Amino acid sequence: MTSRLPGFYTLPVEERLRLIASLCDLTPDEAHALLPGQGLSLDQADKMIENALGVFVIPFGIATNFLVNGESHFVPMVVEEPSIVASASNTAKIVRKAGGFTATSTGRQMVGQVQVVHCSDWESARQRLLQKKGELLARANEARPTMTARGGGALDLDVKVLNGNGDRGWLPMLVVQVTIDTRDAMGANVIDTMMEAIAPDVEAITGGTVYLRILSNYTDTCLAQAQCTIPAELLGTKTLDGVEVRDRIIAAYAFAELDIYRAVTHNKGIMNGIDAVAVATGNDWRALEAAAHAYAARGGRYRSMTEWEIGEHGELVGRLELPMPVATVGGATSVNPVAKTALKLLNVTHAAQLAEIMVSVGLAQNLAALRALVTEGIQRGHMALHARARQAISSPVKQ
């Protein structure tokens, strides 16, 4: 299977679906789930959220041409913005000619926290908790034995004291922070259950009062990285040579590194692609957004999520590293039939692989935006697609 499908966008929608269903070995039910009104049922929606009235339909498309770690992938994207799928596909084609994206990930470790207040001796309480680390980790794992059976579970525990002097009138507090391997699940419910399980023991050990028992969405222990190296000649346009385009891209990146007003828009473009894949696969795009923007400010100043530089032989080299707490099991990925079909289209076997593809999509989206901005401008292709969308909406529906 190859994700390189020249002229795919020119085919009628029905023919595109037949072709992709054939290439990805979709069952009739899996392909049928992508049709309007055939995916998430009203009964399923009613069980997912409170006060459900219906379902909201957003276009489901695929970005073609992606080559990640030597493997072709069709990338499902759920998004209403006209230019996102097109720009991702076109940029992936350029990167494919240069060998594709190389991606890695650091693991599937997430963090849970227990907040303790009203301790009489903070440092003594901290030491007692560290002495009981083994027992607390065991208690956490007892709460979700299926996670440990899969090779995951609570791995480590640390304790920190916050606001020990009671500054600004706030309570001093002690925070128990547990590192948990969630395997192929996003793990929010697992982590919350574990934190609630150890809370009584934490109170008994410290003599304090537990308030919050909750996961953290700052997942800097669950990272994915992507890189691409593109010869300058592949970047040229009809009016600009590749070296000029490369240098303009570097200047555009520097703008985002130096100025927060530019950095926010620069990074929003990266998340355009990542969020679209997250929605398609039933993942929590809000958690991804929160972690990504926090990670962009981890040095004390909000900066570009990507890095671009000129390589040893004059190539354009791009990198993106972000927290990627995504899942291939559990949550909406298991409930929504469209999400199940999306994961099958992607042809991924585990959550780390999904994370690596998604961060590659973010890098592609950033390159697409920068290349457009420094050459013809963002509006030419963007507004043409908008005009097509408006025309389609205003045209009578064929019966």
Side-chain angles (χ1 to χ4, degrees), residues 71-87:
E71 295 184 359
S72 277
H73 294 277
F74 294 119
V75 178
M77 306 180 90
V78 170
V79 65
E80 84 295 344
E81 174 59 56
S83 60
I84 289 173
V85 177
S87 60

Side-chain angles (χ1 to χ4, degrees), residues 297-329:
R298 66 192 182 280
R301 181 172 63 85
Y302 187 81
R303 306 167 65 171
S304 165
M305 293 175 183
T306 51
E307 298 175 2
W308 294 96
E309 64 180 5
I310 299 174
E312 183 179 353
H313 303 292
E315 319 96 324
L316 179 68
V317 181
R319 300 180 189 86
L320 175 61
E321 178 180 79
L322 286 178
M324 278 287 136
V326 295
T328 53
V329 299

Side-chain angles (χ1 to χ4, degrees), residues 89-174:
S89 299
N90 290 336
T91 303
K93 181 168 66 174
I94 294 173
V95 178
R96 189 186 189 94
K97 292 177 182 177
F101 297 93
T102 302
T104 58
S105 52
T106 59
R108 300 290 306 160
Q109 295 181 7
M110 310 279 282
V111 168
Q113 296 180 305
V114 177
Q115 177 197 32
V116 188
V117 298
H118 302 313
C119 283
S120 58
D121 185 334
W122 295 105
E123 186 54 34
S124 175
R126 178 178 177 276
Q127 292 299 326
R128 290 197 300 275
L129 284 167
L130 291 174
Q131 290 169 4
K132 298 288 187 177
K133 176 193 290 190
E135 295 175 25
L136 290 168
L137 291 175
R139 179 77 70 187
N141 285 325
E142 287 171 6
R144 292 303 293 257
T146 55
M147 186 58 68
T148 56
R150 296 190 191 104
L155 304 176
D156 199 6
L157 179 148
D158 198 6
V159 185
K160 55 188 176 184
V161 176
L162 301 180
N163 200 42
N165 296 323
D167 296 337
R168 300 175 65 177
W170 295 340
L171 288 171
M173 64 190 71
L174 181 150

Side-chain angles (χ1 to χ4, degrees), residues 132-298:
K132 298 288 187 177
K133 176 193 290 190
E135 295 175 25
L136 290 168
L137 291 175
R139 179 77 70 187
N141 285 325
E142 287 171 6
R144 292 303 293 257
T146 55
M147 186 58 68
T148 56
R150 296 190 191 104
L155 304 176
D156 199 6
L157 179 148
D158 198 6
V159 185
K160 55 188 176 184
V161 176
L162 301 180
N163 200 42
N165 296 323
D167 296 337
R168 300 175 65 177
W170 295 340
L171 288 171
M173 64 190 71
L174 181 150
V175 177
V176 181
Q177 190 155 300
V178 183
T179 303
I180 300 162
D181 186 337
T182 60
R183 309 309 288 170
D184 289 324
M186 189 272 185
N189 292 330
V190 170
I191 296 170
D192 291 347
T193 299
M194 287 182 168
M195 296 307 96
E196 291 178 2
I198 68 172
D201 289 346
V202 170
E203 285 191 334
I205 293 168
T206 62
T209 303
V210 166
Y211 280 2
L212 272 64
R213 299 145 291 169
I214 187 70
L215 85 157
S216 169
N217 285 123
Y218 185 51
T219 50
D220 61 340
T221 52
C222 181
L223 300 172
Q225 308 87 14
Q227 178 172 317
C228 62
T229 302
I230 308 167
E233 58 266 23
L234 294 181
L235 299 169
T237 69
K238 292 179 180 178
T239 58
L240 293 170
D241 68 37
V243 171
E244 175 67 18
V245 174
R246 178 202 66 191
D247 292 347
R248 291 186 181 197
I249 288 172
I250 296 293
Y253 156 65
F255 184 6
E257 272 288 284
L258 296 168
D259 182 76
I260 190 171
Y261 287 89
R262 175 61 203 145
V264 170
T265 310
H266 177 97
N267 291 342
K268 184 265 183 184
I270 293 168
M271 300 309 294
N272 278 346
I274 292 172
D275 287 350
V277 183
V279 175
T281 56
N283 274 283
D284 187 348
W285 59 270
R286 301 162 303 277
L288 290 170
E289 284 275 352
H293 292 291
Y295 196 68
R298 66 192 182 280

